[in-house]
Amino acid sequence: MASVLPSAVARAVATIREHPAVENLSLSTGNETTAVVASFRVSMASRWLAEGHSPSGVRPVEPVTLRFPANYPLCAPSLELRNDFNRSHPHINPGPEDDPPVPCVVEGSLTELLHASGLESVLNQISAWLDNAANGTLIDPNQGWE
């Protein structure tokens, strides 16, 4: 029997599906979370597209898992990259090697960004983070952060 998505998560899935950088998505539901795997198109040099990855290992299409908690939208979804994503990039939170890498896509709280600017802003930050990771520009030496 298929689970019924909470209405807030169903709206979030529709928003993700319509984001210009998202190529496709899949979802699964569990007891406490709904996991949405969104495949983001990454902007990178055409020669890297031909090679299938940037020099830092970012692929032209990157899956990002957004795990929506039961209390969404009170709390933002957590983010996970693919298990073999290069962990040497700046702004990846430390964690066990057997857990998926977790990107830090915003300075501060992802929940605060969600509440202040909506899910579209969270998706924009994910897309920009992936573009910057591909292009080796996650750190601006003049600013010190993205």
Side-chain angles (χ1 to χ4, degrees):
M1 181 165 157
S3 305
V4 175
L5 289 178
S7 60
V9 175
R11 288 190 302 275
V13 168
T15 299
I16 296 166
R17 187 172 277 125
E18 293 179 12
H19 192 274
V22 173
E23 190 169 279
N24 59 44
L25 63 84
S26 63
L27 60 98
S28 62
T29 57
N31 291 339
E32 297 296 318
T33 64
T34 299
V36 177
V37 180
S39 296
F40 281 81
R41 282 183 299 282
V42 180
S43 296
M44 63 176 67
S46 59
R47 69 182 178 277
W48 300 342
L49 289 171
E51 291 174 14
H53 58 84
S54 72
S56 60
V58 179
R59 298 176 185 163
V61 177
E62 282 289 349
V64 177
T65 302
L66 293 88
R67 291 195 185 279
F68 289 87
N71 64 348
Y72 175 84
L74 292 176
C75 291
S78 61
L79 308 177
E80 298 172 355
L81 303 171
R82 60 184 158 83
N83 286 336
D84 63 346
F85 194 90
N86 182 350
R87 291 175 184 265
S88 68
H89 286 280
H91 305 294
I92 289 185
N93 293 321
E97 288 291 319
D98 54 342
D99 286 350
V102 175
C104 180
V105 300
V106 64
E107 183 176 19
S109 165
L110 200 57
T111 295
E112 287 179 16
L113 176 63
L114 175 70
H115 292 171
S117 302
L119 183 60
E120 181 77 21
S121 291
V122 172
L123 300 171
N124 290 341
Q125 284 298 118
I126 295 168
S127 181
W129 190 96
L130 289 168
D131 291 349
N132 288 334
N135 293 297
T137 56
L138 279 171
I139 293 181
D140 176 355
N142 297 320
Q143 182 185 14
W145 209 84
E146 299 162 53

